[in-house]
Amino acid sequence: MANREYSARITRWRDNLWHRKLRPSSGYFREVYPVNLLLEAHLHMPFQDRPLSEFMTANGSLRPFQFQNEMYQWDVPVEMIEEVREQLEPSGLILSAETHPLIIT
């Protein structure tokens, strides 16, 4: 069953990339990991009527990425990762989630 769920997530991610042309560079996530490398677009994505960066700061450590200008690193504590994923799943920002992606125009 775990492989079936994982396969479904990969398929949704692929379909959102290929068919909907949604890209992580536009502020979407494939998944949420304990260490996430992000762009400015991620910080400004809407989440609960606020910029996503506010949620990131409240749920981990957000800072400029030391090895690349214009990139950021968001570290989510391992003990919080499931809770953070559950909160972000319905947002439409995770391309592998069952939730239809949020379309920003």
Side-chain angles (χ1 to χ4, degrees), residues 28-42:
Y28 297 96
F29 295 84
R30 174 182 175 193
E31 294 283 356
V32 176
Y33 300 102
V35 177
N36 303 274
L37 299 180
L38 313 169
L39 299 169
E40 188 80 25
H42 291 94

Side-chain angles (χ1 to χ4, degrees), residues 5 8 11-12 15-17 24 34 38 45 47 52 59 62 72-73 79-80 92 105:
E5 286 180 34
T11 299
R12 285 190 295 269
D15 289 348
N16 283 319
L17 285 177
L38 313 169
M45 289 299 270
F47 182 71
L52 184 58
N59 292 279
L62 179 63
Y72 299 86
Q73 181 173 332
E79 64 273 7
M80 292 179 61
T105 55

Side-chain angles (χ1 to χ4, degrees), residues 4-17 20 22 24 28-33 85 88-102:
R4 188 174 293 164
E5 286 180 34
Y6 180 75
S7 178
R9 290 187 76 84
I10 294 296
T11 299
R12 285 190 295 269
W13 171 70
R14 180 205 63 203
D15 289 348
N16 283 319
L17 285 177
R20 291 193 177 94
L22 301 174
Y28 297 96
F29 295 84
R30 174 182 175 193
E31 294 283 356
V32 176
Y33 300 102
R85 284 178 180 155
L88 281 175
E89 283 279 322
S91 71
L93 299 177
I94 301 176
L95 297 179
S96 60
E98 289 184 37
T99 304
H100 190 75
L102 177 67

